[in-house]
Structures are given as structure tokens and as C-alpha cells.
């Protein structure tokens, strides 16, 4: 009875204190249960998340290609087979370009989220951070028809301004221009692929062996897309083509995963 009277006699202030404590406890619990942001993750967790995202993306692309390839062609004849292969080649290139861009965006975003200081990052990543500044430096004309004798002096001043910008960035985090370092330009050629890999500090030597297949697929895709009567590969040759293209995708995925896992983006 005494305990009941004490509880009932509890002051409003005490009730407010208990309510606030409960609310604070609930907030702490919610924070504890919330998944960490990418910047708060351990290196291993960050690498696993990137790998899972790349595997999921590549899986649905494989499935779509396989479903189209496995469509029944009974009674379609040679013209039906040719039509199917044309569609497959167009879709295969689309998924290659789509996956490569998705993978590079994942990697570039991960690096930006890590907020690595420019001075601690690979030099190619630091250069990519300054890519727009470099572009202006290369393309700007210092010539002045009214003061031609001052052209070299102005170039020296511009060079000095560039050095000032570089030194000022040393303590700032890497901020990759994602659309620039992942762009396929008009077409994903071997040159564009290797340029993007190097811009992101990734090793490109393993991808040289895929250059011939990539160029071949791109040539067929362009001829089909432009309405030409392209000489299409036979089914066995197409299957070999498809295998090599997905091997390229797997190589990109493995390279990015290992780079995140081993923090190869650091100097």
C-alpha cells in the first residue's frame, strides 16, 4: 500500500525526468540499430558492400541475356536466328557499357565517401580531383595580339596559379568528378575503358587482353544500330563472344573489390 501511495504521489517533474530518460534511451537504441553510413564502415564491410552491389547488378544483366538467348527459335529458320543474334549483340554491348559505368560509379563514390586527403591518395586520384583545373590550364590561350611580348610571362603566371591550387588541395579530401571519370563518351572503346581505369587509380594492364573482343563487339553493335546488314557470328562464336565479355565484367568487379578491400587507392 505504501509503495502505491509513493508512486501516485510522484511529482510531475519526476515524471518528466523519467519520460526524458526513456526517450533518450530509445534514441540511443535506434542509433545503435541503424546501419552505419559508408563513411563509418570498416574497410572489410565497405568492400563487401561494394562487391554485393556489383554482383547483384551483373546477375540481372546475365539473366536478361540468357533469357533472350534461350528464347525458342523453333521454325524460325536462318532469318530468325540472325534476327535473334542481332538483338543479342545489341543487348550484350548495352549491358557491358551499363555494368562498367555502374561499377566505376560505385568505386568512385566509395573513394569520395572515404574522404581521403589528397596528400594520402594515389597521384592519379589527386589528378582526377583537379581534372577541371587541368583542363582549363591546357586549353586556355594566353596569347594577346596587343601584347605579344607578354605571352610567355602570362604563361608563367598561369603555371604559378596552377601550382598554388595544387598546394592548397594537399589537406583537402579527394573529390572525384564522378560523371567525368566514369564517362563512356560516345562509345566504350578500349581506349576509354583504360583511361577511366587509370583515372581511378586502377591497374589497366589486365584489360589489354580484352581489347580485341571489345572492339569487335563495338563494331558489330554500331553496324547493327546504324541499320547495316552486318556479317553476324554463328551461334558458337557468339557464345564465345558473350563469355569473353562477361569475363571482362568479372575482371572489373574483381579489380574494384580488391582495391577497396586492400585500400589500394591510398598512396
Amino acid at each position: 500500500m505504501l509503495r502505491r501511495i509513493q508512486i501516485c504521489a510522484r511529482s510531475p517533474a519526476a515524471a518528466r525526468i523519467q519520460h526524458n530518460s526513456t526517450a533518450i534511451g530509445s534514441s540511443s537504441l535506434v542509433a545503435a540499430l541503424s546501419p552505419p553510413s559508408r563513411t563509418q564502415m570498416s574497410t572489410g564491410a565497405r568492400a563487401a558492400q561494394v562487391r554485393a552491389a556489383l554482383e547483384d547488378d551483373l546477375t540481372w544483366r546475365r539473366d536478361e541475356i540468357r533469357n533472350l538467348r534461350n528464347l525458342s527459335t523453333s521454325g524460325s529458320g536462318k532469318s530468325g536466328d540472325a534476327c535473334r543474334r542481332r538483338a543479342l549483340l545489341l543487348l550484350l554491348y548495352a549491358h557491358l557499357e551499363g555494368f562498367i559505368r555502374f561499377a566505376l560509379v560505385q568505386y568512385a563514390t566509395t573513394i569520395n565517401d572515404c574522404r581521403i586527403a589528397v596528400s594520402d591518395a594515389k597521384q592519379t586520384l589527386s589528378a582526377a580531383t583537379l581534372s577541371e583545373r587541368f583542363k582549363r590550364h591546357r586549353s586556355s590561350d594566353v596569347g594577346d595580339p596587343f601584347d605579344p611580348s607578354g605571352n610567355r610571362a602570362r604563361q608563367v603566371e598561369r603555371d604559378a596559379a596552377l601550382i598554388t591550387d595544387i598546394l592548397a588541395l594537399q589537406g583537402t579530401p579527394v573529390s572525384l568528378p564522378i560523371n567525368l571519370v566514369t564517362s563512356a563518351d560516345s562509345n566504350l572503346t578500349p581506349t576509354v575503358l583504360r583511361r577511366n581505369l587509370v583515372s581511378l587509380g586502377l591497374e589497366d594492364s589486365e584489360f589489354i587482353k580484352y581489347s580485341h573482343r571489345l572492339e569487335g563487339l563495338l563494331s558489330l553493335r554500331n553496324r547493327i544500330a546504324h541499320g547495316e546488314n552486318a556479317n553476324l557470328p554463328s551461334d558458337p562464336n557468339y557464345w564465345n563472344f558473350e563469355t569473353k565479355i562477361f569475363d571482362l565484367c568479372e575482371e572489373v568487379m574483381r579489380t574494384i573489390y580488391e582495391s577497396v578491400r586492400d585500400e589500394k587507392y591510398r598512396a
Side-chain angles (χ1 to χ4, degrees), residues 157-187:
E157 290 173 347
R158 292 183 61 79
D159 293 345
L162 178 62
I163 294 299
T164 300
D165 287 348
I166 292 172
L167 294 176
L169 277 174
Q170 291 302 299
T172 61
V174 166
S175 180
L176 298 172
I178 291 178
N179 287 336
L180 182 65
V181 297
T182 64
S183 172
D185 294 344
S186 298
N187 292 296

Side-chain angles (χ1 to χ4, degrees), residues 114-173:
C114 288
R115 299 189 61 77
I116 314 163
V118 167
S119 56
D120 296 332
K122 272 189 173 181
Q123 291 182 347
T124 47
L125 296 174
S126 301
T129 298
L130 276 166
S131 55
E132 284 299 325
R133 183 65 180 82
F134 284 136
K135 184 179 179 180
R136 292 197 303 272
H137 184 74
R138 295 183 190 119
S139 62
S140 297
D141 184 9
V142 297
D144 184 346
F146 300 103
D147 183 21
S149 63
N151 288 347
R152 290 192 177 183
R154 280 187 291 274
Q155 184 60 62
V156 171
E157 290 173 347
R158 292 183 61 79
D159 293 345
L162 178 62
I163 294 299
T164 300
D165 287 348
I166 292 172
L167 294 176
L169 277 174
Q170 291 302 299
T172 61

Side-chain angles (χ1 to χ4, degrees), residues 67-214:
N67 290 339
L68 179 58
R69 175 164 35 85
N70 291 340
L71 286 176
S72 174
T73 58
S74 177
S76 61
K78 291 184 178 179
S79 61
D81 289 344
C83 181
R84 178 172 53 87
R85 280 197 297 273
R86 288 167 71 87
L88 278 167
L89 287 164
L90 288 173
L91 190 61
L92 183 62
Y93 174 81
H95 279 319
L96 170 64
E97 183 176 309
F99 175 76
I100 296 297
R101 174 165 169 75
F102 177 83
L104 296 183
V105 167
Q106 287 289 311
Y107 184 61
T109 302
T110 297
I111 292 174
N112 285 348
D113 287 345
C114 288
R115 299 189 61 77
I116 314 163
V118 167
S119 56
D120 296 332
K122 272 189 173 181
Q123 291 182 347
T124 47
L125 296 174
S126 301
T129 298
L130 276 166
S131 55
E132 284 299 325
R133 183 65 180 82
F134 284 136
K135 184 179 179 180
R136 292 197 303 272
H137 184 74
R138 295 183 190 119
S139 62
S140 297
D141 184 9
V142 297
D144 184 346
F146 300 103
D147 183 21
S149 63
N151 288 347
R152 290 192 177 183
R154 280 187 291 274
Q155 184 60 62
V156 171
E157 290 173 347
R158 292 183 61 79
D159 293 345
L162 178 62
I163 294 299
T164 300
D165 287 348
I166 292 172
L167 294 176
L169 277 174
Q170 291 302 299
T172 61
V174 166
S175 180
L176 298 172
I178 291 178
N179 287 336
L180 182 65
V181 297
T182 64
S183 172
D185 294 344
S186 298
N187 292 296
L188 183 66
T189 63
T191 300
V192 169
L193 174 60
R194 294 183 65 189
R195 179 204 67 193
N196 288 353
L197 292 170
V198 170
S199 294
L200 289 168
L202 296 168
E203 178 59 50
D204 68 318
S205 59
E206 288 296 319
F207 297 91
I208 296 174
K209 61 189 175 186
Y210 297 105
S211 293
H212 178 68
R213 287 293 182 184
L214 179 51

Side-chain angles (χ1 to χ4, degrees), residues 77-92 213 216-241:
K78 291 184 178 179
S79 61
D81 289 344
C83 181
R84 178 172 53 87
R85 280 197 297 273
R86 288 167 71 87
L88 278 167
L89 287 164
L90 288 173
L91 190 61
L92 183 62
R213 287 293 182 184
L217 176 60
L218 181 58
S219 175
L220 284 170
R221 175 260 190 183
N222 286 341
R223 293 174 66 189
I224 294 169
H226 295 150
E228 296 182 26
N229 187 18
N231 185 21
L232 302 176
S234 62
D235 274 351
N237 287 336
Y238 166 77
W239 295 333
N240 183 51
F241 222 120

Side-chain angles (χ1 to χ4, degrees), residues 17-33:
I17 291 172
Q18 184 180 25
H19 173 76
N20 291 339
S21 299
T22 303
I24 293 171
S26 300
S27 299
S28 302
L29 180 61
V30 170
L33 294 177

